[in-house]
Amino acid sequence: MNIHKIIALICAGMMSVGMTGCGAEKGPVTYAPTSENVKALGRTMLTDDNMLWLAFSGSGAEFTFSGTKAEVVIAGDDNAEKPDNEDNQARIAIYVNGERVVDDMIDHAEETYTVFESETPAECDVKIVKLSETANSTCAVKSITVDAEEGIKPAEKKAHFIEFVGDSITCGYGVDDEVKEHHFSTTTEDVTKTYAYKTAEKLDADYSMVSISGYGIISGYSDGKKKVAEQQLPKYYDKLGNSYGTFGGKRVSGQAWDFTGYTPDAIVVNLGTNDASYTKNKEDRVQDYLDSYVEFLKKLRTNNPDAQIFCTLGIMGQDLYPAVEQAVQNYTEETGDTKVTAMAFDIQSQSDGYAADWHPTEATHEKASEKLVSEIKSVMGW
C-alpha cells in the first residue's frame, strides 16, 4: 500500500471520530458529540458508539463554530418508529444563535437536520434541546457535520449551575396545549417554556432537569385509594432517567448517574403535587411524605455536598406545603445543615388560563420563574 493511501485512510479514521489535523483538505467534517466537541446540557451519557444519549427534559448539547454549513443527526430510540405512537415520541428543538430552526418529533430511527447554510462563513452557536420528558421516549445526538476551517468547540460554561427536581410541571406537560380538557402528549411538552428553564435563562445559568410527569416523593398521581409507589422520583435521582423507551436495548433507568464533576450551585425541588392526590390530608400519609422528604434531602446532600437546596411547591396546589416547611425544619435540626430553605409558589390563576389536564400555562410559568429568580438571588447573592 502506498504512502498516500495510508495517509488517506488515517485521515478518514480521524474524521469519523471528530478529529482534525490532516492538512490542507477542506470541506465538511463529521464530529462525534464528545466532551471535546460539545457542552452537554443536563444529564447525558456517551454510548459505546459515541452517541450522546438524551433522556430527561432539557437534556442536549451545545457547540460553536465559524463556517458555512452545519448538519445534526439525531437517533431515535426503540419507540421512535412504533405505529400509532405519535403522543410518545421524543420532541427535539435545535437553535442557531438563539433562534429555533428545528422543532420536530423523532419518528424515525435517524433524522438528519441541516441547521445552518450560508455562502459566507458566520459565527454560530448551535444548541440541541430535548423538549419532551424521559418517561415516554429517549433519543441521542449521533453526529455533527460542519463545513468550518477550525471545526467545532463546546459552548462556554456559564457562571452558575442549577438543578431542578420535579414532576410534570417541571417537564412542561401540556404547555403548548391550552385546553384543560386535553390530555398528555409529548407533542405539547416544551421544557423551554417552564419556570425552571426560564429561571436558568434569567440567571444566565447552566441547568439540569430531573423530572418525570406523575411522580412524587412517596406516590405518583393517585385516585387516593392506594399509594403509587413505583412512581417515586427519589428512586431515579441517581439515574440517567426512567423511560418506557430503550436505546440499543438499554434502559436509562439502568444507567447510574456519575456525580463526579457535576456540581450544581443550587438545587430546586418541586415535588408534592402528585403526592397530594394520595395523602388527601390524612395525617399518617402526610407524615409519610414529610419523613420521606427528609430522607430525600439527605440523598441530595450526599450527592451534592455544597449546593444550596430550595424546597418549593404550590403552583397546582399548596396542600402539602406545610409538610415541606416542616421537613426542612426537621432536616436542619437533625443534621445541622442550614443550606436548605422552603418557598411557596403562588397557585395558578384562572386569569392565566390552564393547559392540558389543568397544568400551568406559559404565563403561569413566567410568573413562577420571576418569584423563584427573586428567591435565588436573595439567598445566593447572584
Side-chain angles (χ1 to χ4, degrees):
M1 186 180 293
N2 64 46
I3 188 66
H4 298 293
K5 194 166 186 178
I6 292 171
I7 292 172
L9 287 171
I10 292 171
C11 288
M14 293 173 72
M15 288 173 64
S16 70
V17 295
M19 298 174 64
T20 58
C22 282
E25 292 188 18
K26 297 180 180 179
V29 178
T30 297
Y31 297 84
T34 63
S35 59
E36 291 78 16
N37 297 325
V38 304
K39 178 178 81 171
L41 304 176
R43 295 189 180 187
T44 65
M45 189 184 82
L46 203 65
T47 64
D48 293 339
D49 46 2
N50 270 355
M51 289 194 277
L52 196 65
W53 197 2
L54 315 179
F56 280 123
S57 303
S59 56
E62 187 175 5
F63 64 91
T64 62
F65 75 98
S66 178
T68 57
K69 187 175 181 179
E71 287 185 347
V72 174
V73 179
I74 303 293
D77 69 8
D78 300 338
N79 274 348
E81 293 188 310
K82 285 184 177 178
D84 302 320
N85 197 41
E86 60 273 7
D87 288 331
N88 295 300
Q89 295 149 351
R91 183 182 178 190
I92 286 285
I94 304 178
Y95 299 81
V96 177
N97 294 336
E99 179 184 354
R100 187 180 290 192
V101 298
V102 171
D103 185 338
D104 200 19
M105 305 303 296
I106 307 303
D107 56 4
H108 290 87
E110 190 173 297
E111 304 271 8
T112 301
Y113 303 99
T114 299
V115 299
F116 179 78
E117 195 165 16
S118 172
E119 292 183 358
T120 57
E123 298 283 341
C124 294
D125 177 281
V126 179
K127 181 163 65 172
I128 304 158
V129 181
K130 184 172 183 281
L131 301 178
S132 58
E133 66 176 282
T134 179
N136 300 74
S137 48
T138 67
C139 61
V141 181
K142 182 176 182 180
S143 63
I144 298 160
T145 301
V146 299
D147 195 340
E149 294 238 353
E150 296 184 6
I152 67 174
K153 61 181 180 180
E156 291 187 4
K157 289 185 177 181
K158 297 184 177 181
H160 308 300
F161 181 22
I162 309 173
E163 178 178 79
F164 298 88
V165 183
D167 49 33
S168 57
I169 299 171
T170 305
C171 293
Y173 182 123
V175 71
D176 280 342
D177 181 3
E178 294 190 11
V179 179
K180 62 183 183 295
E181 291 82 10
H182 288 176
H183 302 302
F184 176 84
S185 172
T186 54
T187 64
T188 62
E189 283 192 308
D190 187 342
V191 72
T192 69
K193 296 179 180 179
T194 66
Y195 76 93
Y197 192 94
K198 289 174 179 289
T199 295
E201 289 275 288
K202 290 172 182 177
L203 292 171
D204 193 31
D206 284 321
Y207 66 83
S208 177
M209 313 292 181
V210 182
S211 57
I212 311 177
S213 289
Y215 281 53
I217 293 284
I218 62 168
S219 177
Y221 186 76
S222 166
D223 60 6
K225 296 178 181 178
K226 62 180 293 186
K227 179 188 292 186
V228 184
E230 64 272 19
Q231 292 187 341
Q232 295 174 351
L233 198 284
K235 292 180 179 179
Y236 300 100
Y237 178 70
D238 53 4
K239 305 297 183 183
L240 186 64
N242 186 35
S243 182
Y244 302 118
T246 59
F247 194 84
K250 294 182 179 180
R251 293 190 178 277
V252 286
S253 58
Q255 314 303 312
W257 177 243
D258 182 4
F259 289 89
T260 305
Y262 176 87
T263 53
D265 303 296
I267 299 173
V268 178
V269 182
N270 186 4
L271 287 169
T273 301
N274 293 303
D275 297 279
S277 69
Y278 162 70
T279 56
K280 299 290 186 182
N281 292 318
K282 295 182 178 180
E283 186 175 347
D284 59 332
R285 296 183 180 187
V286 172
Q287 189 64 46
D288 184 14
Y289 170 80
L290 193 162
D291 293 341
S292 297
Y293 203 118
V294 171
E295 292 307 306
F296 186 45
L297 288 173
K298 293 176 183 177
K299 186 173 189 175
L300 291 175
R301 180 57 74 218
T302 297
N303 290 294
N304 307 277
D306 300 317
Q308 178 73 41
I309 302 174
F310 296 85
C311 300
T312 69
L313 190 66
I315 296 175
M316 293 182 71
Q318 297 180 342
D319 288 356
L320 281 174
Y321 182 70
V324 172
E325 287 187 306
Q326 189 63 52
V328 170
Q329 182 177 329
N330 291 1
Y331 168 81
T332 299
E333 290 175 353
E334 179 182 345
T335 65
D337 181 357
T338 59
K339 294 184 69 175
V340 182
T341 61
M343 185 206 82
F345 281 117
D346 297 328
I347 297 176
Q348 59 186 344
S349 168
Q350 184 176 353
S351 62
D352 291 320
Y354 301 103
D357 281 325
W358 299 84
H359 280 75
T361 61
E362 185 174 6
T364 298
H365 279 289
E366 176 64 27
K367 290 180 177 179
S369 73
E370 291 171 357
K371 185 165 188 177
L372 183 56
V373 165
S374 178
E375 179 74 4
I376 291 175
K377 283 183 175 181
S378 174
V379 174
M380 303 294 291
W382 292 353

